[in-house]
Structures are given as C-alpha cells and as structure tokens.
Amino acid sequence: MLAGPDWPGFVIILAGMLMGATAIGWNGVFLAEMARLAPAGQVGGTTAAAGFVFGLSMLVAPPFFSLLVDLTGGYAAGFALCVITALIGAALAWSVRGGAVSRR
C-alpha cells in the first residue's frame, strides 16, 4: 500500500490535487471530438447528450461496481463488466464510422 492513515493530511491533499489536475484533461478533448463529429447545426445537442451520458455513468457506475463486489465477494465481476462495456462501446464506435475514421 502506498498511502496509509499515518500519512500527513497535506500530502494526501497534494496527491489528490495532482491526480485531479492530470486526470481531468481528457474532457476537453472528448467534447471537442464530439463537436467535430456532430452533424451540422447539432453541435450543442451532441455535446450535451454526450456530457449527460458520461455524467450519469459517473453517478451510477461506482455504486453499481460496489454492489457487484458485495454480491460476488470479489472484483472479477465488476472488472468483467467494465471490459464488456468497453468492448461494446468500441464495436459501436467502429460500426457507426464504418470501420474507418473520416476527417472533415
């Protein structure tokens, strides 16, 4: 274990700030790509829908993962569900774009 209860509070806060500052940068790239791929005149609706789905998943996924851990007694089912949903998302993205990335 890297961090423990004996760590000073300010070190934990600094580690959390560093993690937050480096982990949040993908949001802008994600929304920019949604806007780039949106049909003409539908950029606002497309980015809003993508943000809503992502925000909803951030509220639902962690408690659901915890429930799976409680029900199964381990992490395997939760991580398997993560893999399955990622593969479904990749397959959907691949099929929507016809297997190729097009540039406007």
Side-chain angles (χ1 to χ4, degrees):
M1 177 166 71
L2 295 177
D6 57 332
W7 275 37
F10 75 92
V11 173
I12 294 172
I13 290 170
L14 287 174
M17 290 172 63
L18 179 63
M19 184 179 68
T22 58
I24 199 76
W26 67 269
N27 288 318
V29 175
F30 170 71
L31 290 174
E33 186 66 4
M34 290 291 100
R36 185 182 76 82
L37 297 173
Q42 296 182 15
V43 170
T46 300
T47 55
F52 174 78
V53 170
F54 180 74
L56 183 63
S57 70
M58 291 299 293
L59 291 173
V60 173
F64 188 69
F65 188 94
S66 295
L67 179 64
L68 282 175
V69 170
D70 285 344
L71 291 175
T72 63
Y75 291 93
F79 284 123
L81 185 61
C82 291
V83 169
I84 290 167
T85 56
L87 290 174
I88 290 170
L92 288 171
W94 188 262
S95 68
V96 168
R97 298 306 295 168
V101 175
S102 65
R103 307 251 184 226
R104 289 186 188 176

Coordinates of all heavy atoms in Angstrom, one line a residue:
M1 N 0.9 -1.2 0.0 CA 0.0 0.0 0.0 C 0.9 1.2 0.0 O 1.8 1.3 0.8 CB -0.9 0.0 1.2 CG -1.8 1.2 1.3 SD -3.1 1.1 2.5 CE -2.3 1.1 4.0
L2 N 0.6 2.2 -0.9 CA 1.4 3.4 -1.0 C 1.1 4.4 0.0 O 1.9 5.0 0.6 CB 1.4 3.9 -2.4 CG 1.9 3.1 -3.5 CD1 1.7 3.7 -4.8 CD2 3.4 2.8 -3.3
A3 N -0.2 4.6 0.2 CA -0.7 5.6 1.2 C -1.3 4.9 2.4 O -1.9 3.8 2.2 CB -1.7 6.6 0.6
G4 N -1.2 5.6 3.5 CA -1.8 4.9 4.7 C -2.3 6.0 5.7 O -2.1 7.2 5.4
P5 N -2.9 5.6 6.7 CA -3.5 6.5 7.7 C -2.5 7.4 8.4 O -2.8 8.4 9.0 CB -4.3 5.6 8.7 CG -3.9 4.2 8.4 CD -3.2 4.2 7.1
D6 N -1.2 7.0 8.3 CA -0.2 7.7 9.0 C 0.4 8.8 8.1 O 1.2 9.6 8.6 CB 1.0 6.8 9.5 CG 1.6 6.0 8.3 OD1 0.9 5.7 7.4 OD2 2.8 5.6 8.4
W7 N 0.0 8.9 6.9 CA 0.4 10.0 6.0 C -0.1 11.3 6.5 O -1.3 11.4 6.9 CB 0.0 9.7 4.6 CG 0.8 8.8 3.8 CD1 1.5 7.7 4.2 CD2 1.1 8.9 2.4 NE1 2.2 7.2 3.2 CE2 1.9 7.9 2.0 CE3 0.7 9.8 1.4 CZ2 2.4 7.7 0.8 CZ3 1.1 9.6 0.1 CH2 2.0 8.5 -0.2
P8 N 0.7 12.4 6.4 CA 0.1 13.7 6.7 C -1.0 14.1 5.8 O -1.0 13.8 4.6 CB 1.3 14.7 6.5 CG 2.5 13.8 6.5 CD 2.1 12.4 6.0
G9 N -2.0 14.8 6.3 CA -3.1 15.2 5.5 C -2.8 16.1 4.3 O -3.3 15.9 3.2
F10 N -1.8 17.0 4.4 CA -1.4 17.8 3.3 C -0.8 17.0 2.2 O -1.0 17.4 1.0 CB -0.5 19.0 3.7 CG 0.9 18.6 4.0 CD1 1.9 18.6 3.0 CD2 1.3 18.1 5.3 CE1 3.2 18.3 3.2 CE2 2.6 17.8 5.5 CZ 3.6 17.8 4.5
V11 N -0.1 15.9 2.5 CA 0.4 15.1 1.4 C -0.7 14.4 0.6 O -0.6 14.3 -0.6 CB 1.4 14.1 2.0 CG1 1.9 13.1 0.9 CG2 2.6 14.8 2.6
I12 N -1.7 13.9 1.3 CA -2.8 13.3 0.7 C -3.6 14.3 -0.2 O -4.0 14.0 -1.3 CB -3.7 12.6 1.7 CG1 -3.0 11.4 2.4 CG2 -5.0 12.1 1.1 CD1 -3.7 10.8 3.5
I13 N -3.7 15.5 0.3 CA -4.4 16.6 -0.4 C -3.6 16.9 -1.7 O -4.2 17.0 -2.8 CB -4.7 17.8 0.5 CG1 -5.7 17.5 1.5 CG2 -5.1 19.0 -0.4 CD1 -5.9 18.5 2.6
L14 N -2.3 17.1 -1.5 CA -1.5 17.4 -2.7 C -1.5 16.2 -3.7 O -1.6 16.5 -5.0 CB 0.0 17.6 -2.3 CG 0.2 18.9 -1.6 CD1 1.7 19.0 -1.1 CD2 -0.1 20.1 -2.5
A15 N -1.5 15.0 -3.3 CA -1.6 13.9 -4.2 C -2.9 13.9 -4.9 O -3.0 13.6 -6.1 CB -1.4 12.5 -3.4
G16 N -4.0 14.2 -4.2 CA -5.3 14.3 -4.8 C -5.4 15.4 -5.8 O -6.0 15.2 -6.9
M17 N -4.8 16.5 -5.5 CA -4.8 17.7 -6.5 C -4.0 17.3 -7.7 O -4.4 17.7 -8.8 CB -4.2 18.9 -5.8 CG -5.1 19.5 -4.7 SD -4.4 20.8 -3.7 CE -4.1 22.0 -4.9
L18 N -2.9 16.7 -7.5 CA -2.1 16.3 -8.7 C -2.8 15.3 -9.6 O -2.8 15.4 -10.8 CB -0.7 15.7 -8.2 CG 0.2 15.2 -9.3 CD1 0.6 16.4 -10.2 CD2 1.4 14.5 -8.7
M19 N -3.5 14.3 -8.9 CA -4.2 13.3 -9.7 C -5.4 14.0 -10.5 O -5.6 13.8 -11.6 CB -4.8 12.3 -8.8 CG -5.5 11.2 -9.5 SD -6.2 9.9 -8.4 CE -7.4 10.8 -7.5
G20 N -6.1 14.9 -9.8 CA -7.2 15.6 -10.4 C -6.7 16.5 -11.6 O -7.3 16.6 -12.6
A21 N -5.6 17.2 -11.4 CA -5.1 18.1 -12.5 C -4.6 17.3 -13.7 O -4.7 17.8 -14.8 CB -3.9 18.9 -11.9
T22 N -4.2 16.1 -13.5 CA -3.7 15.3 -14.6 C -4.8 14.4 -15.2 O -4.7 14.1 -16.4 CB -2.5 14.5 -14.3 OG1 -2.8 13.6 -13.2 CG2 -1.3 15.3 -13.8
A23 N -5.8 14.1 -14.5 CA -6.8 13.1 -14.9 C -7.9 13.8 -15.6 O -8.7 13.2 -16.3 CB -7.3 12.3 -13.8
I24 N -8.1 15.1 -15.5 CA -9.3 15.8 -16.0 C -9.1 16.3 -17.4 O -10.0 16.7 -18.1 CB -9.7 16.9 -15.0 CG1 -11.1 17.4 -15.2 CG2 -8.8 18.1 -15.1 CD1 -12.1 16.5 -14.7
G25 N -7.9 16.3 -17.9 CA -7.6 17.0 -19.2 C -8.3 16.3 -20.4 O -8.5 17.0 -21.4
W26 N -8.7 15.1 -20.3 CA -9.3 14.4 -21.5 C -10.7 15.0 -21.8 O -11.2 14.9 -22.9 CB -9.4 12.9 -21.2 CG -10.4 12.6 -20.1 CD1 -10.1 12.4 -18.8 CD2 -11.8 12.3 -20.3 NE1 -11.2 12.1 -18.1 CE2 -12.3 12.0 -19.0 CE3 -12.7 12.3 -21.4 CZ2 -13.6 11.8 -18.8 CZ3 -14.0 12.1 -21.1 CH2 -14.5 11.8 -19.8
N27 N -11.4 15.7 -20.8 CA -12.8 16.2 -21.0 C -12.9 17.1 -22.2 O -13.8 17.0 -23.0 CB -13.3 16.8 -19.8 CG -13.6 15.9 -18.7 OD1 -14.1 14.8 -18.9 ND2 -13.2 16.2 -17.5
G28 N -11.9 18.0 -22.3 CA -11.9 19.0 -23.4 C -11.7 18.3 -24.7 O -12.4 18.7 -25.7
V29 N -10.8 17.4 -24.8 CA -10.6 16.6 -26.0 C -11.8 15.8 -26.4 O -12.2 15.8 -27.6 CB -9.4 15.7 -25.8 CG1 -9.1 14.8 -27.1 CG2 -8.1 16.5 -25.5
F30 N -12.5 15.2 -25.4 CA -13.7 14.4 -25.7 C -14.8 15.3 -26.3 O -15.4 15.0 -27.3 CB -14.1 13.8 -24.4 CG -15.5 13.1 -24.4 CD1 -15.7 12.0 -25.1 CD2 -16.5 13.7 -23.7 CE1 -16.9 11.4 -25.2 CE2 -17.8 13.1 -23.8 CZ -18.0 12.0 -24.5
L31 N -15.0 16.5 -25.6 CA -16.1 17.3 -26.1 C -15.7 18.0 -27.5 O -16.6 18.1 -28.3 CB -16.4 18.4 -25.1 CG -17.1 17.9 -23.8 CD1 -17.2 19.1 -22.8 CD2 -18.4 17.4 -24.1
A32 N -14.5 18.3 -27.7 CA -14.1 18.8 -29.0 C -14.3 17.8 -30.1 O -14.7 18.1 -31.2 CB -12.6 19.2 -29.0
E33 N -14.0 16.5 -29.8 CA -14.2 15.4 -30.8 C -15.7 15.2 -31.0 O -16.1 15.0 -32.2 CB -13.5 14.1 -30.4 CG -13.6 13.0 -31.4 CD -12.8 13.3 -32.7 OE1 -12.1 14.4 -32.8 OE2 -12.8 12.5 -33.6
M34 N -16.5 15.3 -30.0 CA -18.0 15.2 -30.2 C -18.5 16.3 -31.1 O -19.3 16.1 -32.0 CB -18.7 15.3 -28.8 CG -18.5 14.1 -27.9 SD -19.3 12.6 -28.6 CE -17.9 11.7 -29.3
A35 N -18.0 17.5 -30.8 CA -18.4 18.7 -31.6 C -17.9 18.5 -33.1 O -18.6 18.8 -34.0 CB -17.8 20.0 -31.0
R36 N -16.7 18.0 -33.3 CA -16.2 17.8 -34.6 C -17.0 16.8 -35.4 O -17.3 16.9 -36.6 CB -14.7 17.3 -34.6 CG -14.1 17.2 -36.0 CD -12.6 16.7 -35.8 NE -12.6 15.3 -35.6 CZ -12.7 14.4 -36.5 NH1 -12.8 14.7 -37.8 NH2 -12.6 13.1 -36.2
L37 N -17.5 15.7 -34.7 CA -18.2 14.7 -35.4 C -19.7 14.9 -35.5 O -20.4 14.2 -36.1 CB -17.9 13.3 -34.7 CG -16.5 12.8 -34.7 CD1 -16.3 11.6 -33.9 CD2 -16.1 12.6 -36.2
A38 N -20.2 15.9 -34.8 CA -21.6 16.2 -34.8 C -22.1 16.7 -36.1 O -21.4 17.3 -36.9 CB -21.9 17.3 -33.8
P39 N -23.4 16.3 -36.5 CA -24.0 16.8 -37.7 C -24.1 18.3 -37.7 O -24.2 18.9 -36.6 CB -25.4 16.1 -37.7 CG -25.3 15.0 -36.8 CD -24.2 15.4 -35.8
A40 N -24.1 18.9 -38.8 CA -24.1 20.4 -38.9 C -25.4 20.9 -38.2 O -26.5 20.3 -38.3 CB -24.2 20.8 -40.4
G41 N -25.2 21.9 -37.3 CA -26.2 22.5 -36.6 C -26.7 21.7 -35.3 O -27.6 22.2 -34.7
Q42 N -26.0 20.7 -35.0 CA -26.3 19.9 -33.9 C -25.2 19.7 -32.9 O -25.2 18.8 -32.1 CB -26.8 18.5 -34.3 CG -28.1 18.6 -35.1 CD -28.6 17.2 -35.5 OE1 -28.2 16.2 -35.0 NE2 -29.5 17.2 -36.5
V43 N -24.3 20.6 -32.9 CA -23.1 20.5 -32.0 C -23.5 20.6 -30.5 O -23.1 19.8 -29.7 CB -22.1 21.6 -32.3 CG1 -21.0 21.7 -31.3 CG2 -21.5 21.4 -33.7
G44 N -24.4 21.6 -30.2 CA -24.8 21.8 -28.9 C -25.6 20.5 -28.3 O -25.3 20.1 -27.2
G45 N -26.5 20.0 -29.1 CA -27.2 18.8 -28.7 C -26.3 17.6 -28.5 O -26.5 16.8 -27.6
T46 N -25.4 17.5 -29.4 CA -24.5 16.3 -29.4 C -23.6 16.4 -28.2 O -23.4 15.4 -27.5 CB -23.6 16.3 -30.7 OG1 -24.5 16.1 -31.8 CG2 -22.7 15.1 -30.7
T47 N -23.0 17.5 -27.9 CA -22.1 17.6 -26.8 C -22.9 17.5 -25.5 O -22.4 16.9 -24.5 CB -21.2 18.9 -26.8 OG1 -22.1 20.0 -26.9 CG2 -20.3 18.9 -28.0
A48 N -24.1 18.1 -25.4 CA -24.9 18.0 -24.2 C -25.3 16.5 -24.0 O -25.2 16.1 -22.8 CB -26.2 18.8 -24.4
A49 N -25.7 15.8 -25.0 CA -26.1 14.4 -24.8 C -24.9 13.6 -24.3 O -25.0 12.7 -23.4 CB -26.6 13.8 -26.1
A50 N -23.7 13.8 -24.9 CA -22.5 13.1 -24.5 C -22.1 13.4 -23.1 O -21.8 12.5 -22.3 CB -21.3 13.4 -25.5
G51 N -22.2 14.7 -22.7 CA -21.9 15.0 -21.3 C -22.9 14.5 -20.4 O -22.5 14.0 -19.3
F52 N -24.2 14.4 -20.7 CA -25.2 13.8 -19.9 C -25.0 12.4 -19.6 O -25.0 11.9 -18.5 CB -26.6 14.1 -20.5 CG -27.7 13.4 -19.7 CD1 -28.2 13.9 -18.5 CD2 -28.2 12.2 -20.1 CE1 -29.2 13.3 -17.8 CE2 -29.2 11.5 -19.4 CZ -29.7 12.1 -18.2
V53 N -24.7 11.6 -20.7 CA -24.5 10.2 -20.6 C -23.2 9.9 -19.7 O -23.2 9.0 -18.9 CB -24.4 9.5 -22.0 CG1 -23.9 8.1 -21.9 CG2 -25.7 9.6 -22.7
F54 N -22.2 10.7 -20.0 CA -21.0 10.5 -19.2 C -21.2 10.8 -17.7 O -20.8 10.1 -16.8 CB -19.8 11.3 -19.7 CG -18.6 11.1 -18.9 CD1 -17.9 9.9 -19.0 CD2 -18.2 12.1 -18.0 CE1 -16.7 9.7 -18.2 CE2 -17.1 11.9 -17.2 CZ -16.3 10.7 -17.3
G55 N -21.9 12.0 -17.5 CA -22.2 12.4 -16.1 C -23.0 11.3 -15.4 O -22.8 11.0 -14.2
L56 N -24.0 10.8 -16.1 CA -24.9 9.8 -15.5 C -24.1 8.5 -15.1 O -24.3 8.0 -14.1 CB -26.1 9.5 -16.4 CG -27.1 8.5 -15.9 CD1 -27.8 9.0 -14.7 CD2 -28.1 8.2 -17.0
S57 N -23.2 8.2 -16.0 CA -22.4 7.0 -15.8 C -21.5 7.2 -14.6 O -21.2 6.2 -13.8 CB -21.6 6.5 -17.0 OG -20.6 7.5 -17.3
M58 N -21.0 8.4 -14.4 CA -20.2 8.7 -13.2 C -20.9 8.6 -11.9 O -20.4 8.3 -10.8 CB -19.5 10.0 -13.3 CG -18.5 10.1 -14.4 SD -17.1 9.0 -14.2 CE -16.4 9.7 -12.8
L59 N -22.3 8.8 -11.9 CA -23.1 8.7 -10.8 C -23.5 7.2 -10.5 O -23.7 6.8 -9.4 CB -24.3 9.5 -10.9 CG -24.1 11.0 -10.8 CD1 -25.4 11.8 -11.2 CD2 -23.5 11.5 -9.5
V60 N -23.8 6.5 -11.6 CA -24.3 5.1 -11.4 C -23.3 4.0 -11.3 O -23.4 3.1 -10.6 CB -25.3 4.8 -12.6 CG1 -25.7 3.4 -12.6 CG2 -26.4 5.8 -12.6
A61 N -22.2 4.2 -12.1 CA -21.2 3.1 -12.2 C -20.5 2.8 -10.9 O -20.4 1.6 -10.5 CB -20.2 3.4 -13.3
P62 N -20.0 3.7 -10.1 CA -19.3 3.4 -8.9 C -20.1 2.6 -7.9 O -19.7 1.6 -7.3 CB -18.8 4.7 -8.3 CG -18.6 5.6 -9.5 CD -19.8 5.2 -10.4
P63 N -21.4 3.1 -7.6 CA -22.2 2.3 -6.6 C -22.5 0.9 -7.2 O -22.6 -0.1 -6.4 CB -23.4 3.1 -6.4 CG -23.2 4.4 -7.0 CD -22.0 4.3 -7.9
F64 N -22.8 0.8 -8.5 CA -23.1 -0.5 -9.1 C -21.9 -1.4 -9.0 O -22.0 -2.6 -8.7 CB -23.5 -0.3 -10.6 CG -24.0 -1.6 -11.2 CD1 -25.2 -2.1 -10.8 CD2 -23.3 -2.2 -12.2 CE1 -25.7 -3.3 -11.3 CE2 -23.8 -3.4 -12.7 CZ -25.0 -4.0 -12.3
F65 N -20.7 -0.9 -9.2 CA -19.5 -1.7 -9.1 C -19.4 -2.2 -7.7 O -19.1 -3.4 -7.4 CB -18.2 -0.9 -9.5 CG -17.0 -1.7 -9.5 CD1 -16.5 -2.2 -10.7 CD2 -16.2 -1.9 -8.4 CE1 -15.3 -2.9 -10.8 CE2 -15.0 -2.6 -8.5 CZ -14.6 -3.1 -9.7
S66 N -19.6 -1.3 -6.7 CA -19.5 -1.7 -5.3 C -20.6 -2.8 -5.0 O -20.3 -3.8 -4.2 CB -19.8 -0.5 -4.4 OG -18.7 0.4 -4.5
L67 N -21.8 -2.7 -5.6 CA -22.8 -3.7 -5.4 C -22.4 -5.0 -5.9 O -22.6 -6.1 -5.3 CB -24.1 -3.2 -6.0 CG -25.3 -4.2 -5.9 CD1 -25.7 -4.4 -4.5 CD2 -26.4 -3.7 -6.8
L68 N -21.7 -5.0 -7.1 CA -21.2 -6.3 -7.6 C -20.2 -6.9 -6.7 O -20.1 -8.1 -6.6 CB -20.7 -6.1 -9.0 CG -21.7 -5.9 -10.2 CD1 -21.0 -5.6 -11.5 CD2 -22.5 -7.2 -10.3
V69 N -19.3 -6.1 -6.2 CA -18.3 -6.6 -5.3 C -18.9 -7.2 -4.0 O -18.6 -8.3 -3.6 CB -17.3 -5.5 -4.8 CG1 -16.4 -6.0 -3.7 CG2 -16.5 -5.0 -6.0
D70 N -19.9 -6.6 -3.5 CA -20.7 -7.1 -2.3 C -21.4 -8.4 -2.7 O -21.3 -9.4 -1.9 CB -21.7 -6.1 -1.8 CG -21.0 -5.0 -1.0 OD1 -19.8 -5.1 -0.6 OD2 -21.7 -3.9 -0.8
L71 N -22.0 -8.4 -3.8 CA -22.8 -9.6 -4.2 C -22.0 -10.8 -4.5 O -22.3 -12.0 -4.2 CB -23.7 -9.3 -5.4 CG -24.9 -8.3 -5.1 CD1 -25.6 -8.0 -6.4 CD2 -25.8 -8.9 -4.1
T72 N -20.8 -10.6 -5.2 CA -20.0 -11.7 -5.6 C -18.8 -12.0 -4.7 O -18.1 -13.0 -4.8 CB -19.4 -11.4 -7.0 OG1 -18.6 -10.3 -7.0 CG2 -20.6 -11.2 -8.0
G73 N -18.5 -11.1 -3.8 CA -17.4 -11.3 -2.9 C -16.0 -11.0 -3.5 O -15.0 -11.4 -2.9
G74 N -16.0 -10.4 -4.7 CA -14.7 -10.1 -5.3 C -14.8 -9.1 -6.4 O -16.0 -8.6 -6.7
Y75 N -13.7 -8.7 -7.0 CA -13.7 -7.7 -8.0 C -13.9 -8.2 -9.5 O -14.1 -7.4 -10.4 CB -12.4 -6.9 -8.0 CG -12.3 -6.1 -6.7 CD1 -11.7 -6.6 -5.6 CD2 -12.8 -4.8 -6.7 CE1 -11.6 -5.8 -4.4 CE2 -12.7 -4.0 -5.5 CZ -12.1 -4.5 -4.4 OH -12.0 -3.8 -3.3
A76 N -13.8 -9.5 -9.7 CA -13.8 -10.0 -11.0 C -15.1 -9.6 -11.8 O -15.0 -9.2 -13.0 CB -13.7 -11.6 -11.0
A77 N -16.2 -9.7 -11.2 CA -17.5 -9.4 -12.0 C -17.5 -7.9 -12.4 O -17.9 -7.6 -13.5 CB -18.7 -9.8 -11.1
G78 N -17.1 -7.1 -11.5 CA -17.1 -5.6 -11.8 C -16.1 -5.3 -12.9 O -16.5 -4.5 -13.8
F79 N -14.9 -5.9 -12.8 CA -14.0 -5.6 -13.9 C -14.4 -6.2 -15.2 O -14.1 -5.7 -16.3 CB -12.6 -6.0 -13.5 CG -11.9 -5.0 -12.5 CD1 -11.5 -5.5 -11.3 CD2 -11.8 -3.7 -12.8 CE1 -10.9 -4.6 -10.4 CE2 -11.2 -2.8 -11.9 CZ -10.8 -3.2 -10.7
A80 N -15.0 -7.4 -15.1 CA -15.5 -8.1 -16.3 C -16.6 -7.2 -17.0 O -16.6 -7.0 -18.2 CB -16.1 -9.4 -16.0
L81 N -17.4 -6.6 -16.2 CA -18.4 -5.7 -16.8 C -17.8 -4.5 -17.4 O -18.3 -4.0 -18.5 CB -19.4 -5.3 -15.7 CG -20.6 -4.4 -16.1 CD1 -21.5 -5.2 -17.1 CD2 -21.5 -4.0 -15.0
C82 N -16.7 -3.9 -16.8 CA -16.0 -2.8 -17.4 C -15.4 -3.2 -18.8 O -15.5 -2.4 -19.7 CB -14.9 -2.4 -16.5 SG -15.4 -1.6 -15.0
V83 N -14.9 -4.4 -18.9 CA -14.3 -4.9 -20.1 C -15.4 -5.0 -21.2 O -15.3 -4.6 -22.3 CB -13.5 -6.2 -19.9 CG1 -13.2 -6.8 -21.3 CG2 -12.3 -5.9 -19.1
I84 N -16.5 -5.6 -20.8 CA -17.6 -5.9 -21.7 C -18.2 -4.6 -22.2 O -18.4 -4.4 -23.4 CB -18.7 -6.7 -21.0 CG1 -18.2 -8.2 -20.8 CG2 -20.0 -6.7 -21.8 CD1 -19.1 -9.0 -19.8
T85 N -18.4 -3.6 -21.3 CA -19.0 -2.3 -21.8 C -18.0 -1.6 -22.7 O -18.4 -0.9 -23.7 CB -19.4 -1.4 -20.6 OG1 -18.3 -1.2 -19.8 CG2 -20.6 -2.1 -19.9
A86 N -16.7 -1.7 -22.4 CA -15.7 -1.0 -23.3 C -15.7 -1.7 -24.6 O -15.6 -1.0 -25.7 CB -14.3 -1.1 -22.6
L87 N -15.8 -3.0 -24.7 CA -15.8 -3.7 -26.0 C -17.1 -3.4 -26.8 O -17.0 -3.2 -28.0 CB -15.7 -5.2 -25.8 CG -14.3 -5.7 -25.3 CD1 -14.4 -7.2 -25.0 CD2 -13.2 -5.4 -26.3
I88 N -18.2 -3.3 -26.1 CA -19.5 -2.9 -26.8 C -19.3 -1.5 -27.3 O -19.7 -1.2 -28.5 CB -20.7 -3.0 -25.8 CG1 -21.0 -4.5 -25.5 CG2 -21.9 -2.3 -26.4 CD1 -22.0 -4.7 -24.4
G89 N -18.8 -0.6 -26.5 CA -18.6 0.8 -27.0 C -17.6 0.9 -28.2 O -17.9 1.6 -29.1
A90 N -16.6 0.1 -28.1 CA -15.6 0.1 -29.3 C -16.3 -0.5 -30.5 O -16.1 0.1 -31.6 CB -14.4 -0.7 -28.9
A91 N -17.1 -1.5 -30.4 CA -17.8 -2.1 -31.5 C -18.8 -1.1 -32.1 O -18.9 -1.0 -33.3 CB -18.5 -3.4 -31.1
L92 N -19.5 -0.4 -31.2 CA -20.5 0.6 -31.7 C -19.8 1.7 -32.4 O -20.2 2.1 -33.5 CB -21.3 1.1 -30.5 CG -22.4 0.1 -30.0 CD1 -23.0 0.7 -28.7 CD2 -23.4 -0.2 -31.0
A93 N -18.7 2.2 -31.8 CA -18.0 3.3 -32.5 C -17.4 2.8 -33.8 O -17.5 3.6 -34.8 CB -16.8 3.7 -31.6
W94 N -16.9 1.6 -33.9 CA -16.4 1.1 -35.2 C -17.5 1.0 -36.2 O -17.3 1.3 -37.4 CB -15.7 -0.2 -34.9 CG -14.9 -0.8 -36.1 CD1 -15.4 -1.7 -37.0 CD2 -13.6 -0.4 -36.5 NE1 -14.4 -1.9 -37.9 CE2 -13.3 -1.1 -37.7 CE3 -12.7 0.5 -36.0 CZ2 -12.1 -1.0 -38.3 CZ3 -11.5 0.7 -36.7 CH2 -11.2 -0.1 -37.8
S95 N -18.6 0.5 -35.8 CA -19.7 0.2 -36.8 C -20.3 1.6 -37.3 O -20.7 1.7 -38.4 CB -20.8 -0.6 -36.2 OG -21.5 0.0 -35.1
V96 N -20.4 2.5 -36.4 CA -21.0 3.8 -36.8 C -20.1 4.5 -37.8 O -20.6 5.1 -38.7 CB -21.2 4.7 -35.5 CG1 -21.5 6.1 -35.9 CG2 -22.4 4.2 -34.7
R97 N -18.8 4.4 -37.6 CA -17.9 5.1 -38.5 C -17.6 4.2 -39.7 O -16.7 4.6 -40.5 CB -16.6 5.5 -37.8 CG -16.8 6.5 -36.6 CD -17.6 7.7 -37.0 NE -16.8 8.5 -38.0 CZ -17.2 9.5 -38.7 NH1 -18.5 9.9 -38.5 NH2 -16.4 10.1 -39.5
G98 N -18.2 3.1 -39.8 CA -17.9 2.2 -41.0 C -16.5 1.6 -41.0 O -16.0 1.2 -42.0
G99 N -16.0 1.5 -39.8 CA -14.7 0.9 -39.6 C -13.5 1.8 -40.0 O -12.4 1.4 -40.0
A100 N -13.8 3.0 -40.4 CA -12.7 3.9 -40.8 C -13.0 5.3 -40.2 O -14.1 5.7 -40.0 CB -12.6 4.1 -42.3
V101 N -11.9 6.0 -39.9 CA -12.0 7.4 -39.3 C -12.0 8.3 -40.5 O -11.1 8.3 -41.3 CB -10.9 7.7 -38.3 CG1 -10.9 9.1 -37.9 CG2 -10.9 6.7 -37.2
S102 N -13.0 9.1 -40.6 CA -13.1 10.1 -41.7 C -12.8 11.5 -41.1 O -13.1 11.8 -40.0 CB -14.4 10.1 -42.4 OG -15.4 10.5 -41.5
R103 N -12.1 12.3 -41.8 CA -11.8 13.7 -41.4 C -12.6 14.7 -42.3 O -12.8 14.5 -43.4 CB -10.3 14.0 -41.7 CG -9.4 12.9 -41.0 CD -8.7 13.5 -39.8 NE -7.8 12.5 -39.3 CZ -7.7 12.2 -38.1 NH1 -8.5 12.9 -37.2 NH2 -6.9 11.3 -37.6
R104 N -13.1 15.7 -41.6 CA -13.9 16.7 -42.3 C -12.9 17.8 -42.8 O -12.0 18.1 -42.3 CB -14.9 17.4 -41.4 CG -16.0 16.4 -41.1 CD -17.1 17.2 -40.3 NE -18.0 16.2 -39.9 CZ -19.0 16.5 -39.1 NH1 -19.2 17.7 -38.6 NH2 -19.9 15.6 -38.7

